[in-house]
Amino acid sequence: MYLLGGTGRAFTQMVLPGMTLCVFWSFIVFANLVFCPSNATITSLLGNETDRVALLAFKRGISSDPLGALISWNNTLHFCKWKGVTCSRHHQRVTILDLSQQILVGYMSPYISNLTFLREINLQDNSFNGQITQEIGRLFRLRVLNTSVNSLGGEIPANLSRCIHLQAISLGNNNLTGQIPSELGTLRKLKLLEVQSNFLIGSIPPSLGNLSSLTDLRLRSNHLEGSIPDELTQIQSMVSFVLSDNELSGTISSSLYNISSLEGIAVMENQLYGSLPSHIGISLPKLQFLLLGGNQFTGPFPISLSNASRLQWLELQYNHFSGPVPNLGSLQHLTEIYLWGNQFGTGKADDLSFITSLTNCSFLESLDLIENHFKGILPSSITNLSTHLSWLQLGGSQIVGSIPSHIGNLINLQYLSICKTFITGSIPTSIGKLRNLQRMLMYENMLSGQIPSSIGNIAQLNMLNLNENNLTGSIPSALGNCKNLEAMLLSKNNLRGAIPRQVIGLSSLSIVLNLSHNTLTGSLPLEVGNLIHLTSLDVSSNILSGEIPTTLGNCESLTELYMDVNSFQGTIPSSLSGLKAIQSLGFSYNNFSGSIPKYLEELQLLTYLNLSFNNLLGEVPKQGVFRNASAISVIGNDNLCGGITELKLDPCPILDKEKKRKSLVSTVIISVASGPLGLIFLLCASVALYRLRKPRTKPSSTSSMEGQHLKVSYAELFKSTNGFNSANLIGVGSYGTVYEGILGRDENIVAVKVLNCQLRGVSTSFMAECEALRNIRHRNLVKIITSCSSMDFGGNDFKALVFEYMPNGSLEKWLHPKLDEQYKLRILNFNERLNIAIDVASVLDYIHHHCHTPIAHCDLKPSNILLDEDMNAHVCDFGLAQLYSRITSKSSKEQSSTIGLKGTIGYIAPGDVYSYGILLLELFTGKCPTDDMFKDGLSLHKFAEMAFPNRTIRFLIPYSH
Ligand SMILES: *[C@@H]1O[C@H](CO)[C@@H](O)[C@H](O)[C@H]1NC(C)=O
Ligand SMILES: *[C@@H]1O[C@H](CO)[C@@H](O)[C@H](O)[C@H]1NC(C)=O
Ligand SMILES: *[C@@H]1O[C@H](CO)[C@@H](O)[C@H](O)[C@H]1NC(C)=O
Ligand SMILES: *[C@@H]1O[C@H](CO)[C@@H](O)[C@H](O)[C@H]1NC(C)=O
């Protein structure tokens, strides 16, 4: 008792010395049992330590166990109780390791081969990688090895042949390479050999013919080549023989067709040839599937197949079978018949009469007969086929007759294709009953009459192709109800009337909408803008007229747009610059006028542009698609000029006025630059202009502000800017980003300035800008159209101002273009520069002196000066504006702290006129104040020194405030 009550260490010391101690303690029964067991007792109580070590090693090989399959694999629990482990009751040795479908990632530890009592390994459906260890050959009790659906690589271990009790080998769906080891032929008990979907090469070893118990051979989807060994076709136990999708060649030995136990033959997609024995249906009475598609088989359809009464799948497609198709009505279990791409048919009128016999096959799901040599009449009994039928494909042969009016009986049809036939008559209205139909293909027939509007009832319809028939009438607007339609092709018919807005606005269309080669009239409805997912739109060769709706620019997925051969008119709208994905554009043979839009140069993917035979005028651009003469066509437009030389167009005339101005500018510049006091003169002159000049115009009377300060919603702005798309981004201002958008019923182009509500002070800025712009109007101020202060879809504060759009962008861009923009912009001429200076001066004069509350802009700089179409300057960004009345009412301390921090460094203090001075220097010298200069506060003096090196600069500029 003393010893038992002692410390753990003493306790162990007592136990380990073994027998001597045991003898001493042997009178204590309890102790004898626990501490002095025989070897056999250890095994039975603790199991075999080797197995535990092996399992733990196996666990270490697993790097990811998201489902926690191996959580229970710990030392407190006996390994026979670990998840997935089954032990023999007597020896406590591991017999089954089942870790299937556990999403395990890792390698198969070679320690697994120490589990010598293993009978089953089930690791299927995981992500084991690495190789299958050769050591696996030590598991001589193994019956089942299943590692299918993993990522195992390397070769199939030939040592597997030492596991002589193996009954099933499943190694399918891995990355196994190399050849099938011929040694496997010794596994006399093997019933299943499955290595499908790997990368196995070489030929099938003839030794596999010795697998005398084999029932299932699955070698599908590898790169096996050579012929099918005759030995393999002599295994009398064979049930399922699957060799599809390899590179096997030669013929199949006729002995295969005598294995009466055979239930299935699948050798699709190989290069096999030969014909089927005429007795096949009798010698293979259990046949359930016969899949021979995609080979070079020849000969007739064996009539005896109608005796293989269990036949379910018959796939003979894409071979060279010929002759008549027998009646198959006796095959009650038939579900699939694929005969397409053969030479079946006799040329007689009853070629398709076997279809009538198929009405007995009440489980028929698929019938595919296209591209054969069938002639004769389409039997109306086709509507009596099984209601399970989901796939029906006819055509590609000289079938006549019409589509039976009760086609709507086949209520489970999902795929209906009757194409390239001589079938006449109309499309039956009952087609609308096919509520499960997803694809309806009836192109290249001789169908006439109207498109039934009942098609609109087919909500699942995904593809509708009625190209090349003689259909008449108008396009039913009910087609717009098919909200799952991705492709609609109605080309080359006699359809007339207008394009229904419901149809052209069907936003599910994503693949193609082809309405070409009809006699459609009217204009292209605005709803075309809904087609934001569509890739190909073709409305060519109709009688469509009117202008291109600007909404077409919304279709940003379009890669092809063909509007050729119609009577469209007007200009090509600027909104089409939104077609960022466009590759081919056809506008030929219309009445388009105006100039060729410059943005076409910038559509990066555009490789085909046909503008021929319109009334376009002016300069042909030279960049982008216009660089390649073979990519564009501009002929048949009489007033085009310029472009690349290959086009052989006249050069564009230089206007006389422009010439004169040019020479004037150069004289002025020369005199300014040469005269020592030139610059000073210039500055003074400008300031004098600012001082003296009366506003050039009265405040504009076209009120864009008054009364109509209608608020616009977040959703409207979202839509107008394509969801604040980066493609619409035109600038980043002091407090937010500016997008181009299309707003309102008139589809005006606007600039939407979205304030970044995360920034501090943005609210104040918003208010300042609204307030400043509320009551002032001047032709050189950017007009505010409306504003928006609400929540975005995420419930965050959203503030935006909508301004009129200034097509020529900011002065900043013209003075200091970014490298990638340089090619687009010409250099401003002197006149333009002077006009800009005057425009800005007149704004400052107006806001300082002529508003009823004087305003200071406080952030005057080139990026806040925008240029309109005629290069008139418009001052914008009043986000920092200060109303003098308010400033003066505040304490001077407060005032300096607010103003002092605002504005862009270098342009600020002491005021707008100071900024104006900097602006003038930039404007006329083209020099840009460097970052360096900004650091210690840019002085006008320093900048002037840089701009005019080697000159003494004196300033006579009066500071205004
Ligand atoms: C455990 O198994 C291994 C391998 O089969 C064997 O060598 C060893 O003798 C066994 N140990 C016991 C205690 O049975
Ligand atoms: C061992 O696994 C069992 C079963 O999952 C669990 O109950 C036990 O807490 C685990 N022990 C340790 C020490 O993790
Ligand atoms: C178990 O297997 C590993 C690797 O195959 C080997 O190194 C080890 O000696 C084997 N035996 C025991 C008893 O763990
Ligand atoms: C092996 O696993 C796969 C995938 O789960 C399964 O289809 C196959 O029948 C299994 N093989 C055996 C012999 O159990």
Side-chain angles (χ1 to χ4, degrees), residues 122 124-125 144 146 148-149 168 170 192 194:
N122 290 315
Q124 68 264 31
D125 266 310
V144 175
N146 198 346
S148 55
V149 197
S170 280
L192 169 78
E194 181 196 9

Side-chain angles (χ1 to χ4, degrees), residues 621-691:
K622 291 187 179 133
Q623 303 297 328
V625 67
F626 296 97
R627 272 192 289 229
N628 182 352
S630 63
I632 58 168
S633 176
V634 293
I635 56 162
N637 291 282
D638 295 336
N639 295 311
L640 287 175
C641 61
I644 54 168
T645 47
E646 287 94 320
L647 296 178
K648 302 201 174 84
L649 294 173
D650 294 337
C652 294
I654 299 174
L655 295 176
D656 275 2
K657 241 200 221 164
E658 225 169 72
K659 265 189 211 159
K660 265 186 204 155
R661 211 183 283 152
K662 256 190 193 161
S663 56
L664 174 73
V665 168
S666 37
T667 30
V668 171
I669 286 179
I670 290 163
S671 62
V672 164
S674 56
L677 291 174
L679 173 73
I680 294 165
F681 159 78
L682 188 66
L683 289 176
C684 292
S686 303
V687 173
L689 268 172
Y690 158 74
R691 276 276 178 214

Side-chain angles (χ1 to χ4, degrees), residues 765-817:
S765 160
F766 181 72
M767 294 307 293
E769 195 151 8
C770 283
E771 190 141 337
L773 293 170
R774 178 156 295 158
N775 294 310
I776 56 172
R777 255 168 275 134
H778 187 275
R779 68 181 294 274
N780 297 113
L781 282 175
V782 174
K783 288 186 195 106
I784 185 170
I785 297 171
T786 177
S787 67
C788 170
S789 177
S790 80
M791 302 273 180
D792 66 14
F793 293 147
N796 305 310
D797 260 357
F798 176 85
K799 291 193 194 316
L801 295 163
V802 180
F803 295 95
E804 70 181 320
Y805 179 72
M806 293 286 142
N808 276 322
S810 76
L811 178 61
E812 172 78 17
K813 197 172 82 176
W814 289 81
L815 291 182
H816 316 297

